[in-house]
Amino acid sequence: MHNRYPLWKYLLILGVVTLGFIYALPNLYAPDPAVQISGQSGATTMDASTVERVEEQLQSQGIDYIGVELNENVVLVRLASEDEQMTARRTLQESLGGDFVVALNQAPTTPDWLVSLGGAPMRLGLDLSGGVHFLLEVDTDSAIETRQEITADEMKGILREERIRYNSLEVEEDLSIVARFRSAELRDRALELAEDEYDTLVFQTEDAGEEDFRFTAQLSETAIAEIEDYALGQNLVTLRNRVNELGVSEPVVQRQGGNRIIVQLPGVQDTAEAKRVIGKTANLEFRLEASPDTLVSMKEEFPYRSEADKQRFGGAELERQIILTGDHVANATSSFDAETNMPQVNITLDGLGGTKMHRATRDNVGRRMGVLFIEHKTRTEFTTNEAGETVEVRENYVEREIISLATIQSALGKQFRITGLESPAEASELALLLRAGALAAPMYFVEERTIGPSLGAENIQTGLKSVVIGLALVLVFMLIYYRVFGIFANLALAANVLLLVAVMSLLGATLTLPGIAGIVLTVGMAVDANVLIFSRIREELKEGVSPQSAIYSGYERAFVSILDANITTLLVAVILYAIGTGPVQGFAVTLSIGILTSMFTAIMGTRALANLVYGRRRNLKKIWI
C-alpha cells in the first residue's frame, strides 16, 4: 500500500508540532509594564535598602504596583498598568537622584517551567510596542574646543623647540587661539612657523600696546564642518559598537540632521543598562602629576574617584598638558591583579598612542602619572511650570576624577594596565566603553520614549486582525471547496502558523509590521501547495484512477512543482535579507521561515492525515475532495 507512513514519521510530526506548541506558548503571556533602576556607575550597589526606598516612594504617591524585585544589581518594579509607568519613572527619578538611572521597561511574565526549557516570547519590533527610542545630541562645540586645545599644546612645543619666547598661548572662550609676545619680531617668527604648520587655521595679527603683540588663530569654516562631520560619524560608529556589545537585534542607529543621532532598540529588556552604556561618554586622559615648581596656570586639581582615596587624600594636582586620551585605545579587557587581587583594566594602545606614551614616560621615570576618568553626565530634575504642569529639565555636566596615580617605573609601551578601580563591575564597564571606542564629542539625551501602548497596541491589533481575517477566509474556502481534504489543509495551516511563531521565538527574531505581512503571505503560500496537490488528485480521479492511487500520484507529482516554486521564493527572500535593512530584513526572515515550515506541514502534515484516514482502507471507493 502506497499511502502509509512508517511509525517514526508520525512520531516525528507529532514531536515537531508538540515542540512548536511549547515554544510558541510564551507568546500568550503578555509582559508587565515596568520601570528598571540601576546605578549611574557600574560601581553603584543596589541592595535591600534601595528596594525599601523604592517601595516607600511608590506607596506614598499611591502608585499601583505588582512587586519590586532585586536581580543582579538591578531593581525592577512591575506596575499594574501602563498608565502608571511614566508617573512611577518620574517619581522614582526625583526621589533617587542623579546617581541612579530609571528607565521604562517591559518585564516578562513567562512561567519558570517554560523559561527552564528555553522558551521566550518573540521580540516585538519598535512599531509593535517593544523597545526604546533615544534621540541624542552631539556637542560638536566641544569637539572643536578639544581640537583647538590640542593645536595650542602643539604650538607651544614648536615654539619651545625653536626657542621663541611667548607670554601666553591659550584658547579663548570664542574658541580662537591667542598667542601673546613681547615684540613684533618674535610674533612674526612664530606666525610664520604656525602658518606653515596649520593650513586649516585663519591667522590675524593685532598690536594691543607696548610689549603686547598678538596673533589669533581661528578654524576655517571648512575645517569646522569637517570636525563636526567627523565627530558625528565617529559617534555613530561608537554607538553602533556599543549597541552590538548589548546584543540587540535589528537596532536602528542613524543620523538625524546636523548634530543628532537616533537610536532605536527593539525588544530590549535591560533598557536601563542600554541607556547607561549608550549614553556614557566616558573617556580617559593620561597626565603627569604637577611638580612643585609648575606654574599655577599649568596645573589643575582633581578629586580621586575612589571614595576611600577621596577621604584620605582629597585630590591631586595634574599638569594641564595631556599625554594622550582614550581615543588611542585599540583594545581593553578587565581582569584582576595577580598580587593584590584588585580589579584592573588591561590597555593596548594603537601605534601613535604607543609612541606618545613611550616618549612621555621615557623622559619622566620616577614621576607619577595620573589617569583621569571623564564622564559627561545628564542630571534630570522635575519642576512645575507656570501652567502648573510638571516638566522634565535636563542639565548636562562633566565629572573629572582620578582613578589612578602611579609612579612610572620604566618607559611604557603600547600595553599597560590601569588599577585603582572600585569593583569588577566598574572595571568591566570601563573596558567595554574603551573597547567600543571613544566618542569624538560628548552626547546628551534630548528625548527618550517608547513606542507605547497606543500606537504599538493599535499596530498589533491591526496586524493580528489581518492575519485572523486572512486565515479565516482561507479556512472557510478550503473547507467548502475540498471538504475532508480541506480539513487536512486547515489543520496543517494552523500547525504551520504555530511552527512559524515557535521558530521565530527560538531564534530570537524581531517581529515587525512587515513581519506580520510575511506571515499573511506565508499562509497564502502554504495553501497554494495544498491546492496544487488536491487539484492533481481530482484530475487523477477524473481519469478513472482508483482513490488510493490518486492520493499517491497527487502528492508525488505535485511535489516537484511545489519545491520549484518555494525555492525561487526562498531565493528572493535571501536576496531581500542580503540587500535590505531593518523592516525589509524582518519580512525576509519571516518569509524564509514560513516557506520551510509550510513545506513541512502542507506536504508531510496533510499526507500524514490523509494516510491515517484513508491509507488503511483496502477497498476505498470514494474520497471527499
PDB file of all heavy atoms in Angstrom, residues 189-206:
ATOM      1  N   ARG A 189      57.914  85.762  13.707  1.00  0.00           N
ATOM      2  CA  ARG A 189      58.617  84.483  13.512  1.00  0.00           C
ATOM      3  C   ARG A 189      57.695  83.309  13.882  1.00  0.00           C
ATOM      4  O   ARG A 189      57.640  82.297  13.185  1.00  0.00           O
ATOM      5  CB  ARG A 189      59.891  84.444  14.376  1.00  0.00           C
ATOM      6  CG  ARG A 189      61.043  85.285  13.839  1.00  0.00           C
ATOM      7  CD  ARG A 189      62.208  85.246  14.809  1.00  0.00           C
ATOM      8  NE  ARG A 189      62.647  83.877  15.063  1.00  0.00           N
ATOM      9  CZ  ARG A 189      63.405  83.513  16.093  1.00  0.00           C
ATOM     10  NH1 ARG A 189      63.781  84.441  16.983  1.00  0.00           N
ATOM     11  NH2 ARG A 189      63.783  82.265  16.243  1.00  0.00           N
ATOM     12  N   ALA A 190      56.996  83.473  15.014  1.00  0.00           N
ATOM     13  CA  ALA A 190      56.077  82.411  15.441  1.00  0.00           C
ATOM     14  C   ALA A 190      54.933  82.249  14.444  1.00  0.00           C
ATOM     15  O   ALA A 190      54.511  81.124  14.107  1.00  0.00           O
ATOM     16  CB  ALA A 190      55.507  82.744  16.821  1.00  0.00           C
ATOM     17  N   LEU A 191      54.431  83.363  13.926  1.00  0.00           N
ATOM     18  CA  LEU A 191      53.322  83.313  12.968  1.00  0.00           C
ATOM     19  C   LEU A 191      53.728  82.581  11.697  1.00  0.00           C
ATOM     20  O   LEU A 191      52.953  81.786  11.139  1.00  0.00           O
ATOM     21  CB  LEU A 191      52.870  84.745  12.646  1.00  0.00           C
ATOM     22  CG  LEU A 191      51.703  84.866  11.666  1.00  0.00           C
ATOM     23  CD1 LEU A 191      50.457  84.189  12.216  1.00  0.00           C
ATOM     24  CD2 LEU A 191      51.406  86.342  11.386  1.00  0.00           C
ATOM     25  N   GLU A 192      54.968  82.839  11.256  1.00  0.00           N
ATOM     26  CA  GLU A 192      55.443  82.194  10.036  1.00  0.00           C
ATOM     27  C   GLU A 192      55.482  80.663  10.209  1.00  0.00           C
ATOM     28  O   GLU A 192      55.081  79.907   9.333  1.00  0.00           O
ATOM     29  CB  GLU A 192      56.847  82.728   9.700  1.00  0.00           C
ATOM     30  CG  GLU A 192      57.377  82.240   8.361  1.00  0.00           C
ATOM     31  CD  GLU A 192      58.747  82.839   8.035  1.00  0.00           C
ATOM     32  OE1 GLU A 192      59.212  83.730   8.785  1.00  0.00           O
ATOM     33  OE2 GLU A 192      59.346  82.396   7.049  1.00  0.00           O
ATOM     34  N   LEU A 193      55.979  80.239  11.396  1.00  0.00           N
ATOM     35  CA  LEU A 193      56.025  78.794  11.661  1.00  0.00           C
ATOM     36  C   LEU A 193      54.612  78.194  11.717  1.00  0.00           C
ATOM     37  O   LEU A 193      54.349  77.116  11.171  1.00  0.00           O
ATOM     38  CB  LEU A 193      56.727  78.529  13.000  1.00  0.00           C
ATOM     39  CG  LEU A 193      58.239  78.723  13.031  1.00  0.00           C
ATOM     40  CD1 LEU A 193      58.757  78.648  14.458  1.00  0.00           C
ATOM     41  CD2 LEU A 193      58.914  77.645  12.178  1.00  0.00           C
ATOM     42  N   ALA A 194      53.701  78.903  12.412  1.00  0.00           N
ATOM     43  CA  ALA A 194      52.335  78.382  12.587  1.00  0.00           C
ATOM     44  C   ALA A 194      51.596  78.296  11.247  1.00  0.00           C
ATOM     45  O   ALA A 194      50.864  77.335  10.995  1.00  0.00           O
ATOM     46  CB  ALA A 194      51.567  79.273  13.555  1.00  0.00           C
ATOM     47  N   GLU A 195      51.782  79.305  10.387  1.00  0.00           N
ATOM     48  CA  GLU A 195      51.108  79.299   9.078  1.00  0.00           C
ATOM     49  C   GLU A 195      51.598  78.139   8.213  1.00  0.00           C
ATOM     50  O   GLU A 195      50.831  77.548   7.453  1.00  0.00           O
ATOM     51  CB  GLU A 195      51.332  80.628   8.368  1.00  0.00           C
ATOM     52  CG  GLU A 195      50.502  81.761   8.945  1.00  0.00           C
ATOM     53  CD  GLU A 195      50.757  83.085   8.244  1.00  0.00           C
ATOM     54  OE1 GLU A 195      51.881  83.294   7.738  1.00  0.00           O
ATOM     55  OE2 GLU A 195      49.836  83.926   8.234  1.00  0.00           O
ATOM     56  N   ASP A 196      52.903  77.807   8.344  1.00  0.00           N
ATOM     57  CA  ASP A 196      53.434  76.678   7.569  1.00  0.00           C
ATOM     58  C   ASP A 196      52.875  75.354   8.073  1.00  0.00           C
ATOM     59  O   ASP A 196      52.675  74.414   7.310  1.00  0.00           O
ATOM     60  CB  ASP A 196      54.972  76.660   7.674  1.00  0.00           C
ATOM     61  CG  ASP A 196      55.607  77.806   6.897  1.00  0.00           C
ATOM     62  OD1 ASP A 196      54.909  78.378   6.033  1.00  0.00           O
ATOM     63  OD2 ASP A 196      56.776  78.131   7.168  1.00  0.00           O
ATOM     64  N   GLU A 197      52.644  75.275   9.389  1.00  0.00           N
ATOM     65  CA  GLU A 197      52.249  74.007  10.008  1.00  0.00           C
ATOM     66  C   GLU A 197      50.752  73.736   9.914  1.00  0.00           C
ATOM     67  O   GLU A 197      50.319  72.599   9.754  1.00  0.00           O
ATOM     68  CB  GLU A 197      52.671  74.023  11.478  1.00  0.00           C
ATOM     69  CG  GLU A 197      52.558  72.702  12.191  1.00  0.00           C
ATOM     70  CD  GLU A 197      53.596  71.680  11.734  1.00  0.00           C
ATOM     71  OE1 GLU A 197      54.667  72.103  11.209  1.00  0.00           O
ATOM     72  OE2 GLU A 197      53.323  70.486  11.870  1.00  0.00           O
ATOM     73  N   TYR A 198      49.914  74.799  10.009  1.00  0.00           N
ATOM     74  CA  TYR A 198      48.458  74.597  10.131  1.00  0.00           C
ATOM     75  C   TYR A 198      47.723  75.332   9.007  1.00  0.00           C
ATOM     76  O   TYR A 198      47.496  76.545   9.088  1.00  0.00           O
ATOM     77  CB  TYR A 198      47.952  75.096  11.494  1.00  0.00           C
ATOM     78  CG  TYR A 198      48.619  74.407  12.659  1.00  0.00           C
ATOM     79  CD1 TYR A 198      49.628  75.057  13.372  1.00  0.00           C
ATOM     80  CD2 TYR A 198      48.261  73.123  13.028  1.00  0.00           C
ATOM     81  CE1 TYR A 198      50.265  74.428  14.427  1.00  0.00           C
ATOM     82  CE2 TYR A 198      48.889  72.488  14.079  1.00  0.00           C
ATOM     83  CZ  TYR A 198      49.893  73.134  14.776  1.00  0.00           C
ATOM     84  OH  TYR A 198      50.510  72.502  15.820  1.00  0.00           O
ATOM     85  N   ASP A 199      47.357  74.599   7.976  1.00  0.00           N
ATOM     86  CA  ASP A 199      46.647  75.232   6.863  1.00  0.00           C
ATOM     87  C   ASP A 199      45.140  75.299   7.103  1.00  0.00           C
ATOM     88  O   ASP A 199      44.399  75.852   6.293  1.00  0.00           O
ATOM     89  CB  ASP A 199      46.950  74.500   5.557  1.00  0.00           C
ATOM     90  CG  ASP A 199      46.595  73.025   5.632  1.00  0.00           C
ATOM     91  OD1 ASP A 199      46.117  72.583   6.710  1.00  0.00           O
ATOM     92  OD2 ASP A 199      46.805  72.301   4.640  1.00  0.00           O
ATOM     93  N   THR A 200      44.657  74.717   8.202  1.00  0.00           N
ATOM     94  CA  THR A 200      43.217  74.786   8.488  1.00  0.00           C
ATOM     95  C   THR A 200      42.863  75.998   9.356  1.00  0.00           C
ATOM     96  O   THR A 200      41.696  76.230   9.648  1.00  0.00           O
ATOM     97  CB  THR A 200      42.754  73.522   9.231  1.00  0.00           C
ATOM     98  OG1 THR A 200      43.523  73.384  10.423  1.00  0.00           O
ATOM     99  CG2 THR A 200      42.916  72.292   8.368  1.00  0.00           C
ATOM    100  N   LEU A 201      43.876  76.766   9.772  1.00  0.00           N
ATOM    101  CA  LEU A 201      43.638  77.919  10.634  1.00  0.00           C
ATOM    102  C   LEU A 201      43.717  79.215   9.844  1.00  0.00           C
ATOM    103  O   LEU A 201      44.498  79.331   8.883  1.00  0.00           O
ATOM    104  CB  LEU A 201      44.667  77.949  11.774  1.00  0.00           C
ATOM    105  CG  LEU A 201      44.589  76.800  12.790  1.00  0.00           C
ATOM    106  CD1 LEU A 201      45.753  76.887  13.775  1.00  0.00           C
ATOM    107  CD2 LEU A 201      43.271  76.818  13.540  1.00  0.00           C
ATOM    108  N   VAL A 202      42.914  80.185  10.269  1.00  0.00           N
ATOM    109  CA  VAL A 202      42.951  81.529   9.676  1.00  0.00           C
ATOM    110  C   VAL A 202      43.605  82.446  10.702  1.00  0.00           C
ATOM    111  O   VAL A 202      43.106  82.574  11.837  1.00  0.00           O
ATOM    112  CB  VAL A 202      41.531  82.025   9.340  1.00  0.00           C
ATOM    113  CG1 VAL A 202      41.585  83.438   8.771  1.00  0.00           C
ATOM    114  CG2 VAL A 202      40.844  81.072   8.374  1.00  0.00           C
ATOM    115  N   PHE A 203      44.713  83.074  10.327  1.00  0.00           N
ATOM    116  CA  PHE A 203      45.501  83.872  11.277  1.00  0.00           C
ATOM    117  C   PHE A 203      45.246  85.359  11.086  1.00  0.00           C
ATOM    118  O   PHE A 203      45.045  85.844   9.964  1.00  0.00           O
ATOM    119  CB  PHE A 203      46.995  83.586  11.097  1.00  0.00           C
ATOM    120  CG  PHE A 203      47.382  82.176  11.461  1.00  0.00           C
ATOM    121  CD1 PHE A 203      47.397  81.169  10.497  1.00  0.00           C
ATOM    122  CD2 PHE A 203      47.717  81.846  12.764  1.00  0.00           C
ATOM    123  CE1 PHE A 203      47.742  79.878  10.830  1.00  0.00           C
ATOM    124  CE2 PHE A 203      48.069  80.552  13.113  1.00  0.00           C
ATOM    125  CZ  PHE A 203      48.071  79.558  12.133  1.00  0.00           C
ATOM    126  N   GLN A 204      45.288  86.086  12.205  1.00  0.00           N
ATOM    127  CA  GLN A 204      45.208  87.551  12.192  1.00  0.00           C
ATOM    128  C   GLN A 204      46.178  88.091  13.239  1.00  0.00           C
ATOM    129  O   GLN A 204      46.364  87.485  14.297  1.00  0.00           O
ATOM    130  CB  GLN A 204      43.789  88.022  12.532  1.00  0.00           C
ATOM    131  CG  GLN A 204      42.794  87.791  11.415  1.00  0.00           C
ATOM    132  CD  GLN A 204      41.429  88.370  11.729  1.00  0.00           C
ATOM    133  OE1 GLN A 204      41.055  88.466  12.898  1.00  0.00           O
ATOM    134  NE2 GLN A 204      40.701  88.761  10.709  1.00  0.00           N
ATOM    135  N   THR A 205      46.790  89.255  12.930  1.00  0.00           N
ATOM    136  CA  THR A 205      47.718  89.866  13.889  1.00  0.00           C
ATOM    137  C   THR A 205      47.050  91.070  14.536  1.00  0.00           C
ATOM    138  O   THR A 205      46.149  91.702  13.966  1.00  0.00           O
ATOM    139  CB  THR A 205      49.015  90.302  13.191  1.00  0.00           C
ATOM    140  OG1 THR A 205      48.694  91.224  12.135  1.00  0.00           O
ATOM    141  CG2 THR A 205      49.756  89.102  12.623  1.00  0.00           C
ATOM    142  N   GLU A 206      47.551  91.400  15.745  1.00  0.00           N
ATOM    143  CA  GLU A 206      46.977  92.531  16.487  1.00  0.00           C
ATOM    144  C   GLU A 206      48.047  93.080  17.419  1.00  0.00           C
ATOM    145  O   GLU A 206      48.758  92.321  18.079  1.00  0.00           O
ATOM    146  CB  GLU A 206      45.772  92.059  17.304  1.00  0.00           C
ATOM    147  CG  GLU A 206      45.082  93.171  18.074  1.00  0.00           C
ATOM    148  CD  GLU A 206      43.937  92.651  18.925  1.00  0.00           C
ATOM    149  OE1 GLU A 206      43.583  91.457  18.777  1.00  0.00           O
ATOM    150  OE2 GLU A 206      43.428  93.409  19.755  1.00  0.00           O
TER     151      GLU A 206
END
